[in-house]
Amino acid sequence: MVVFINAMLYSIVFVYGACIGSFLNVIIYRVPNDISIAKGRSYCPKCNEQIKNYDLIPVVSYLVLGAKCRNCRSKISSRYPLVEIFTGLVAVNIFMVKGFSVISVFIFIVSAILIAITMIDFDTMTIPDGLVIALIPLAIVMAFIQADIRI
């Protein structure tokens, strides 16, 4: 019974992580292009058509749509589901190692920001200041929560 409950909990953590990975894909695309991440719906970069809510399910939509836009049938990069899967696996790994705690949430947030920074750097060879600055308050809070961190 315990194995079943753990499997369910880690499945939920994976889905949550994959959803965050989906949002990271938005950040990875929009931040270098100076597009607001807070305004506007997701859209196909080829045909500029808004993506319907039911086509925004991480990984599943990519598979159901056959890696193509529903409207213009242009190819969707495999990077999108890979970032979602990777982020989900990072979340599961963090919670398996650290348990379900506040520090685990902070570590996951830092990891998610670092994933976005890595992918943006890979694409543009730049690191956005805003994402690096977002790490500072997290590091300060983590230093107070996790007092045994050694420098």
Side-chain angles (χ1 to χ4, degrees):
M1 185 67 166
V2 173
V3 173
F4 176 74
I5 292 171
N6 281 340
M8 290 300 297
L9 285 174
Y10 291 124
S11 296
I12 292 167
V13 168
F14 177 81
V15 169
Y16 174 76
C19 289
I20 297 299
S22 182
F23 181 67
L24 291 180
N25 281 321
V26 171
I27 292 171
I28 292 164
Y29 176 75
R30 292 185 183 191
V31 167
N33 293 312
D34 290 326
I35 303 170
S36 172
I37 61 170
K39 294 181 182 175
R41 299 266 322 258
S42 294
Y43 59 90
C44 172
K46 301 280 194 261
C47 67
N48 291 323
E49 190 70 28
Q50 272 190 359
I51 300 173
K52 307 284 189 236
N53 289 339
Y54 49 83
D55 287 336
L56 293 173
I57 302 167
V59 183
V60 174
S61 294
Y62 179 84
L63 296 172
V64 168
L65 293 172
K68 294 184 179 174
C69 172
R70 183 179 296 275
N71 299 304
C72 67
R73 306 300 300 159
S74 63
K75 186 178 180 333
I76 299 171
S77 172
S78 60
R79 173 194 276 182
Y80 291 101
L82 291 176
V83 168
E84 295 164 355
I85 291 168
F86 180 72
T87 307
L89 291 174
V90 166
V92 169
N93 188 32
I94 289 168
F95 284 91
M96 285 179 86
V97 171
K98 289 294 199 180
F100 292 89
S101 64
V102 173
I103 196 71
S104 296
V105 174
F106 275 94
I107 293 170
F108 176 68
I109 293 169
V110 168
S111 298
I113 293 170
L114 291 174
I115 291 168
I117 288 172
T118 301
M119 298 311 295
I120 291 170
D121 184 30
F122 183 77
D123 289 343
T124 66
M125 298 188 86
T126 62
I127 297 176
D129 292 337
L131 292 176
V132 175
I133 291 168
L135 292 172
I136 295 169
L138 292 169
I140 293 169
V141 170
M142 282 177 63
F144 285 107
I145 292 174
Q146 189 78 21
D148 64 344
I149 294 176
R150 291 182 177 82
I151 298 175

